Amino acid sequence: MVISDEGEGIRRTLSVNKALGKINDSQALRYAIQPGISMVSGDELYQKRNRTNLTGNSGYGLYVTSELFKKIGDMKLISGSAVLDIKSNTITEMGFKYPGTAVVLNVYLNELDSVSDNEIEQIVALGEKSAQDDPNAIKKASKSSRIF
């Protein structure tokens, strides 16, 4: 499955978050799969966001997806001049040129049975715990980050 757009890309989106500083495409992709990293800093969004907003951006979507696909397939995250190839617990960086963002998901159907009913909640809980130590991360995942 491929989901793609020809928008501004992950680096330009994350560059709005002044706490991250100046980053390149490769760094942006690495940030994008960390829990709670979004276009605004954790404290700023947490204070301003309506916590009941189902679609609120909390910076957990790509984190949850990348962690899930380490178990059930592989994932490529492509944006600007970089690609992260995520397979099992290995992340490989490659150069590329893409005017936007693309996520390529390859599901191993024989692995789907290994996903427990509360797999997403477990991934989110680990991410929220990890985000507590990062002053730039949003500490709590949105409701939409918990849907599978």
Side-chain angles (χ1 to χ4, degrees), residues 53-83:
N53 180 358
L54 181 63
T55 60
N57 181 355
S58 63
Y60 282 80
L62 287 173
Y63 160 72
V64 170
T65 303
S66 67
E67 291 298 309
L68 182 62
F69 272 80
K70 287 177 183 176
K71 298 176 183 207
I72 66 165
D74 57 71
M75 171 181 167
K76 286 182 180 57
L77 181 58
I78 305 164
S79 187
S81 64
V83 177

Side-chain angles (χ1 to χ4, degrees), residues 26-54:
S26 178
Q27 292 166 318
L29 295 183
R30 294 255 179 201
Y31 275 127
I33 62 170
Q34 291 180 17
I37 300 298
S38 183
M39 63 192 303
V40 293
S41 68
D43 290 339
E44 180 183 352
L45 185 62
Y46 189 78
Q47 290 170 8
K48 291 181 180 179
R49 191 175 89 191
N50 175 355
R51 299 303 297 160
T52 61
N53 180 358
L54 181 63

Side-chain angles (χ1 to χ4, degrees), residues 67-107:
E67 291 298 309
L68 182 62
F69 272 80
K70 287 177 183 176
K71 298 176 183 207
I72 66 165
D74 57 71
M75 171 181 167
K76 286 182 180 57
L77 181 58
I78 305 164
S79 187
S81 64
V83 177
L84 284 186
D85 188 7
I86 303 166
K87 292 180 182 174
S88 193
N89 283 319
T90 303
I91 299 175
T92 307
E93 288 187 39
M94 296 178 271
F96 200 69
K97 187 164 179 86
Y98 186 77
T101 302
V103 180
V104 180
L105 304 171
N106 184 23
V107 180

